[in-house]
Amino acid sequence: MSNEFQGEINRYFEDSKPWWPSAKRPPEGAPNVVYIVLDDTGYSHLGCYGSDISTPNIDQLANDGLRYTNFHTTAICSPTRACLLTGRNHHSVGMGFLADINNGFPNARGRISKETALLSEILQEEGYNTMAVGKWHLLPSGERSVAGPFEHWPLSRGFERYYGFLGGETNQFNPDLVVGNEYIDQPKTAEEGYHLTEDLTDKAIKYVREQKSAAPDKPFFLYLAYGATHAPHHAPKEFIDKYAGKYDQGWDVAREQWFARQKELGIIPDNTVLPARNPGVKAWNSLNPTEKRLFTRMQEVFAGFLDHTDYHIGRLLNALREIEQYDNTIIVLVSDNGASPEGQQVGTWNEYKNFNGEAEQAEQEIQHIDKLGTPDAYNHYPTGWAQVGNTPLKWYKTFVHAGGVKDPFIISYPDKIKDAGGIRTQYHHAIDVVPTILELSGISEPSVVKGTEQKSIEGISLAYSFEHQSEPSHRTTQYYEMLGNRAIYHEGWKAVTYHIPGSSFDADKWELYHVDKDFSENNDLAESEPEKLKELIELWWVEAEQYGVLPIDGRGLFGKFNKSEVPQTVTYKYYPNPDGFHHHVTFNSKLSHSIEADFIRSSIDEEGALIANGGRFGGWALFVQNNRLVYHSNFLGEHHYSVVSSEELPVGSVNVRFKFEEEEKRAKLFINHKLVGESVISRIAPLGGPGVFSIGKSALTPVTEDYESPFTFTGELKEIRVTIPQFVRDLDAETAIELAID
């Protein structure tokens, strides 16, 4: 209805006719909608999909609804979330890869086009209340600063409330939190019992209870995207210890056990074959005792992490039951891609070692075994366990083989779904969720949202399958492309290829599977069915053109980064607040640069961090402590370098400067333009470590254990100036840091 005034205005109120626009109301009986999005959780990780990890609350959700065994995603984070929220293919909406990448073409802008509205925007216009909690990762890293731009933050994309983190990953014990459009500190410390999963669940419950109290007749849409089970794998000790000794038999036996359980549950067909181990995964019996001990503990930690997540999902589900909003709520639970291989063959206590090319062997990693799962680690398990999490499928996240794109999908809606606990085998994709929600809510697909004409929704509702277990799938075709890896599903067949970054696409070897009869993609028919393979490859090109996949970008992760040429010397100025602030700006500290600070101290006791980047697992900080100026460089949590001024700092107005010379790897400290300290810093990680860029404090975790975060500067910090010569502001490094935490 138009909001244009429809009354009558004359000179006086008595002669005029008032008019009030009618508030938009959703259709009668429209359900609430809850998305629960897990991260890097593989096909078989949930108990109701075959694992021996305790997930009773998710299992109960499945018993109240339906499990889908043939549901698919895009193989990686941001694109899948774009599909789940828009009902369109990820290239169609501008999210061809991670939100951190803008490749200069419409298919990969790192943000979702306004022509492809989010479900939140559609439902908000239909009278729903909308709230998002948790991981966002749907805007470029360059738009996550304290100055925005905020155009693609949650509050600008149809959500009325937001609490969570904007990037692809965060520390579960010390997260980088945002409420609305503002960065905030976590409500309590890890030492006080903080964990992100609990915090996000608390907020979700709070938002729902408040909404139902204030507007009981309005339905709500809650988008709850946990950081779990993406690395770092963090959980309270009591959850991890439940699994002590559970995986001593190793990943080969565990995989076989989960495979057998899947057949018992009916999650996979009886004729499914368990493929051989993925290349690079060693036979468990070939490992030495150190490897077995380390790898076993890494899986125990992951299991505790998922168990802990399930516990808090149970709290949310119980909260809905308590306020009688469970039966009339569509609850979707899904993972964004398959289990992750980012831990590589050995796993790691600090995944940023792997991102910086510093992966080590078990003999080095086991020195940190007691830290795994705690605030003192940033750990990830090895590919052997990731493969178990994808049982019975091949490969992992980023691959468009089934291990990357076939994921658990549960939908519960007791008011509508009568075959509670049922299993559905129809072929569906993440783009099919939005049209399902719209159909069940009685809402038509809009042609205009917020004044912008819309592209058509590309998904197909799966609601038909609720009452028709054996009805053939309404989706008969689906393309895939990720990092140059390509696949096409069509009428029970699948062609798929893995692309080696930087190589010719013409050299890619295509595989062919009759997936209606070969669930695990084990029997490659490319040689025996060349005409079928040719047909599917040609169909892939047709689909690629239709959905904006072209041009294919097969340069790989680091090949997608573009350096930004800047003037010969650039100085960035920062003006701190009394409590300090942080945002997402960084540079490659391995190259020459300088940092200068002006401040006033009224006492020699005033101290704290002037500027810092990263934290416990890699980074650097310039700070005042014990009346000395200190620069500390932390190489991935394992090697530390400090430069301490030989002279004490004066009281009053002070100018200090840090200078790093790349060629000699020499660091120098100056107080009031006088050289007061120098040293060699021999090892610097180009991508640094996880954390944030902080002014006036050292946020989240300390760069050195010589202080405790946030170590806010207690003097009066006037200005910070960071000077970086030409090409030092390296977008390769900046983007790779964000990419590493997808």
Side-chain angles (χ1 to χ4, degrees):
M1 179 180 292
S2 171
N3 285 330
E4 184 177 345
F5 184 69
Q6 298 176 25
E8 183 179 328
I9 299 174
N10 293 305
R11 284 191 173 186
Y12 305 106
F13 182 85
E14 292 80 0
D15 301 326
S16 302
K17 182 181 179 180
W19 174 83
W20 292 269
S22 299
K24 181 69 176 179
R25 298 186 63 82
E28 185 70 26
N32 306 310
V33 179
V34 174
Y35 278 15
I36 301 174
V37 183
L38 301 177
D39 204 334
D40 289 2
T41 305
Y43 183 79
S44 61
H45 269 141
L46 306 179
C48 56
Y49 276 80
S51 87
D52 55 13
I53 299 173
S54 177
T55 58
N57 296 293
I58 296 175
D59 298 350
Q60 184 58 53
L61 183 70
N63 289 334
D64 292 340
L66 298 171
R67 276 171 292 173
Y68 286 74
T69 65
N70 219 357
F71 186 85
H72 299 78
T73 61
T74 68
I76 207 166
C77 160
S78 305
T80 293
R81 292 158 200 267
C83 294
L84 289 169
L85 286 169
T86 68
R88 301 167 179 92
N89 288 293
H90 58 111
H91 296 94
S92 296
V93 307
M95 197 66 70
F97 187 49
L98 295 177
D100 315 281
I101 302 297
N102 182 341
N103 72 356
F105 292 94
N107 64 7
R109 290 299 190 189
R111 58 181 71 86
I112 296 173
S113 167
K114 297 294 183 67
E115 297 176 326
T116 55
L118 274 59
L119 180 62
S120 51
E121 295 170 306
I122 297 172
L123 295 182
Q124 184 185 41
E125 289 200 348
E126 292 291 334
Y128 274 68
N129 283 131
T130 55
M131 43 261 199
V133 177
K135 174 174 172 174
W136 186 240
H137 208 199
L138 292 173
L139 75 161
S141 53
E143 296 182 10
R144 298 177 198 159
S145 81
V146 292
F150 300 102
E151 185 179 7
H152 293 279
W153 288 42
L155 296 194
S156 297
R157 294 309 305 258
F159 287 105
E160 296 161 336
R161 306 184 78 173
Y162 175 67
Y163 183 89
F165 59 101
L166 295 177
E169 160 192 314
T170 196
N171 190 315
Q172 299 288 321
F173 289 116
N174 297 281
D176 188 17
L177 289 174
V178 169
V179 60
N181 287 343
E182 183 177 359
Y183 285 94
I184 62 167
D185 295 328
Q186 63 195 74
K188 61 183 179 181
T189 66
E191 291 71 26
E192 294 169 329
Y194 180 87
H195 191 284
L196 179 62
T197 300
E198 179 179 4
D199 189 17
L200 297 179
T201 307
D202 287 346
K203 275 295 185 295
I205 293 171
K206 175 179 184 290
Y207 285 174
V208 168
R209 293 180 67 91
E210 290 178 349
Q211 188 274 337
K212 279 301 165 191
S213 298
D217 295 331
K218 291 183 68 173
F220 65 82
F221 172 38
L222 169 65
Y223 176 70
L224 174 56
Y226 285 108
T229 52
H230 195 296
H233 300 161
H234 284 157
K237 185 175 185 296
E238 61 269 24
F239 282 87
I240 296 172
D241 287 349
K242 287 173 59 176
Y243 294 90
K246 181 84 171 179
Y247 299 105
D248 288 355
Q249 78 276 20
W251 51 55
D252 290 330
V253 171
R255 186 168 176 242
E256 291 169 357
Q257 291 175 344
W258 292 17
F259 179 67
R261 191 174 295 111
Q262 288 176 317
K263 289 190 175 182
E264 293 172 5
L265 293 171
I267 288 298
I268 61 176
D270 287 338
N271 67 348
T272 303
V273 174
L274 185 64
R277 285 182 296 270
N278 290 330
V281 176
K282 296 179 179 179
W284 184 262
N285 289 338
S286 72
L287 302 178
N288 64 45
T290 297
E291 291 171 323
K292 289 181 178 180
R293 179 175 169 233
L294 176 66
F295 300 165
T296 296
R297 186 57 176 172
M298 288 175 167
Q299 174 63 7
E300 292 170 1
V301 169
F302 177 87
F305 189 21
L306 178 54
D307 187 330
H308 178 253
T309 306
D310 176 83
Y311 171 80
H312 289 288
I313 289 173
R315 292 178 53 228
L316 172 65
L317 301 180
N318 286 333
L320 292 174
R321 296 184 184 104
E322 288 172 3
I323 61 173
E324 300 180 344
Q325 297 296 319
Y326 184 76
D327 290 352
N328 64 332
T329 298
I330 304 168
I331 302 174
V332 168
L333 185 142
V334 65
S335 176
D336 61 352
N337 46 247
S340 172
E342 290 158 302
Q344 300 181 21
Q345 292 187 28
V346 176
T348 179
W349 80 276
N350 176 5
E351 68 172 346
Y352 271 74
K353 290 173 62 178
N354 293 3
F355 298 149
N356 281 277
E358 297 289 337
E360 294 187 304
Q361 297 304 309
E363 288 70 22
Q364 289 78 42
E365 292 291 336
I366 202 165
Q367 299 173 27
H368 304 279
I369 191 170
D370 292 335
K371 299 177 182 177
L372 299 178
T374 76
D376 294 324
Y378 212 85
N379 48 291
H380 200 305
Y381 60 12
T383 50
W385 288 116
Q387 179 179 247
V388 175
N390 287 333
T391 303
L393 312 173
K394 295 191 294 188
W395 298 112
Y396 319 95
K397 169 184 176 180
T398 75
F399 290 78
V400 294
H401 289 73
V405 300
K406 193 187 292 281
D407 287 289
F409 178 83
I410 297 168
I411 186 165
S412 170
Y413 183 15
D415 279 355
K416 182 73 173 179
I417 295 173
K418 301 310 176 185
D419 184 21
I423 293 175
R424 296 294 183 267
T425 60
Q426 288 91 345
Y427 191 102
H428 277 286
H429 187 271
I431 62 174
D432 298 331
V433 180
V434 165
T436 304
I437 300 301
L438 295 182
E439 178 182 341
L440 296 174
S441 303
I443 296 172
S444 300
E445 176 184 346
S447 59
V448 177
V449 176
K450 293 184 177 180
T452 301
E453 291 189 10
Q454 297 292 295
K455 293 182 179 179
S456 296
I457 286 177
E458 296 160 359
I460 299 170
S461 172
L462 51 78
Y464 71 91
S465 65
F466 291 1
E467 297 181 2
H468 303 285
Q469 179 178 3
S470 302
E471 183 168 341
S473 174
H474 289 194
R475 171 164 296 287
T476 58
T477 306
Q478 180 61 43
Y479 84 88
Y480 298 88
E481 188 280 327
M482 185 56 58
L483 291 168
N485 303 326
R486 289 156 288 154
I488 181 81
Y489 166 84
H490 181 64
E491 296 180 349
W493 290 80
K494 180 180 178 181
V496 58
T497 184
Y498 169 73
H499 179 70
I500 299 173
S503 67
S504 169
F505 284 105
D506 293 335
D508 291 347
K509 180 183 178 182
W510 285 83
E511 303 161 29
L512 177 67
Y513 300 100
H514 193 180
V515 290
D516 271 1
K517 298 180 179 180
D518 182 11
F519 186 86
S520 60
E521 300 177 7
N522 182 64
N523 184 20
D524 183 3
L525 302 174
E527 292 188 7
S528 61
E529 298 278 357
E531 291 304 314
K532 173 61 73 172
L533 178 60
K534 180 181 178 182
E535 170 194 335
L536 291 181
I537 294 173
E538 290 175 351
L539 180 59
W540 187 91
W541 287 105
V542 172
E543 295 288 298
E545 187 156 351
Q546 179 177 352
Y547 295 113
V549 181
L550 308 180
I552 315 170
D553 189 349
R555 293 173 293 166
L557 301 182
F558 292 95
K560 290 179 182 286
F561 308 147
N562 295 305
K563 290 185 178 180
S564 174
E565 294 191 9
V566 296
Q568 186 170 1
T569 300
V570 175
T571 297
Y572 294 92
K573 295 183 180 180
Y574 302 99
Y575 308 100
N577 297 316
D579 295 330
F581 73 90
H582 70 273
H583 63 144
H584 291 266
V585 174
T586 187
F587 57 91
N588 187 347
S589 61
K590 193 172 184 177
L591 308 178
S592 297
H593 62 280
S594 68
I595 301 168
E596 193 169 5
D598 297 322
F599 54 84
I600 299 173
R601 294 197 311 157
S602 59
S603 156
I604 62 172
D605 297 322
E606 292 177 342
E607 62 181 19
L610 304 173
I611 182 172
N613 189 60
R616 178 173 288 135
F617 309 104
W620 51 264
L622 180 66
F623 56 93
V624 175
Q625 189 175 50
N626 298 324
N627 206 31
R628 304 274 178 169
L629 180 66
V630 182
Y631 179 86
H632 189 94
S633 180
N634 174 341
F635 182 79
L636 302 174
E638 296 189 344
H639 301 279
H640 292 262
Y641 306 88
S642 284
V643 189
V644 182
S645 65
S646 58
E647 299 182 7
E648 294 188 341
L649 285 156
V651 173
S653 296
V654 183
N655 171 274
V656 300
R657 184 162 67 102
F658 166 81
K659 182 179 181 181
F660 181 74
E661 298 167 346
E662 175 192 0
E663 189 170 332
E664 298 179 356
K665 297 183 178 180
R666 184 164 294 278
K668 297 180 180 180
L669 291 178
F670 300 83
I671 298 177
N672 290 333
H673 310 292
K674 179 182 178 182
L675 179 65
V676 292
E678 60 181 313
S679 182
V680 170
I681 300 178
S682 58
R683 302 188 74 185
I684 298 175
L687 305 188
V692 294
F693 182 83
S694 312
I695 302 295
K697 65 179 180 180
S698 180
L700 306 187
T701 63
V703 172
T704 168
E705 300 303 326
D706 291 341
Y707 63 79
E708 294 182 2
S709 287
F711 199 39
T712 303
F713 184 64
T714 53
E716 182 182 354
L717 184 55
K718 307 296 288 187
E719 183 178 294
I720 295 278
R721 296 177 293 281
V722 179
T723 301
I724 51 180
Q726 189 174 13
F727 304 124
V728 173
R729 190 171 186 223
D730 188 346
L731 292 191
D732 284 14
E734 292 188 28
T735 307
I737 290 173
E738 297 296 337
L739 174 67
I741 58 175
D742 61 358

